[in-house]
Amino acid sequence: MKKAHGNIKIILKNKKAFHNYNILDRFEVGIALVGTEIKSIRNSKVNVGDAFCKIDKNDEISLFNMNISTYEKGGYSNHDPLRPRKLLMHKREIRRLKAKLQQRGFTLVPISVYLKNGRAKIELGLGKGKDAADKRETLKKRDAQREIKKFDY
């Protein structure tokens, strides 16, 4: 369990997304879950390190490679940890997003997983991939800011 801001409880943040992508826009979406998945999310047994999103022909958005560990007390009704999960978003938002994704180099990556009023939500980021030089530049800027803060009174 991480932080709680009012009715929001942050389960995890994907720091790797900010390292590999320039995040240009953010979207809050719901997740269609089955039985024991929400219990595993509440126990922080989730990983989105390699996860990505795709929009299919029917304008439905799905999340792939999100690992929600099986629930210890689930028994025979446990879920598949790596199954594709449908994300819940309005059709017009998906169509607008689909138009942006068709431009070269853009992708949808999960930024964070949290509970909002007891419901699991994912924050998606519309990102453009960084190359190695951009990543080094970002690290240099971060180190410079850290040095400035260290000597700032």
Side-chain angles (χ1 to χ4, degrees), residues 21-25 101 105-109 124-129:
Y21 300 96
N22 287 322
I23 304 297
L24 305 174
D25 204 359
L101 285 173
F106 285 102
T107 188
L108 266 181
V109 291
L124 295 179
L126 178 67
K128 193 162 188 145

Side-chain angles (χ1 to χ4, degrees), residues 36-146:
T36 55
E37 288 178 329
I38 188 66
K39 293 179 181 187
S40 292
I41 288 175
R42 286 190 178 126
N43 290 335
S44 299
K45 304 282 186 187
V46 61
N47 183 7
V48 294
D50 298 328
F52 63 96
C53 297
K54 282 188 179 180
I55 300 175
D56 64 7
K57 295 178 228 167
N58 300 329
D59 288 337
E60 291 183 352
I61 187 166
S62 298
L63 181 66
F64 297 91
N65 287 351
M66 177 178 171
N67 187 351
I68 299 178
S69 298
T70 55
Y71 185 60
E72 302 91 34
K73 300 171 186 160
Y76 70 91
S77 65
N78 257 330
H79 59 276
D80 177 23
L82 288 173
R83 75 174 183 88
R85 290 168 178 89
K86 184 178 175 185
L87 299 179
L88 308 173
M89 195 175 196
H90 291 285
K91 282 277 189 196
R92 69 174 185 279
E93 289 178 320
I94 292 174
R95 288 187 190 118
R96 195 175 313 138
L97 192 57
K98 191 175 183 178
K100 289 180 183 178
L101 285 173
Q102 288 173 346
Q103 297 174 14
R104 183 157 180 212
F106 285 102
T107 188
L108 266 181
V109 291
I111 297 173
S112 64
V113 177
Y114 55 94
L115 295 173
K116 184 175 182 182
N117 297 325
R119 298 180 188 261
K121 303 282 185 179
I122 290 187
E123 185 177 20
L124 295 179
L126 178 67
K128 193 162 188 145
K130 291 182 183 179
D131 58 1
D134 289 339
K135 291 177 187 178
R136 283 192 299 272
E137 186 67 31
T138 303
L139 290 174
K140 285 179 190 177
K141 285 181 184 177
R142 193 178 308 135
D143 288 343
Q145 288 296 326
R146 200 174 293 137

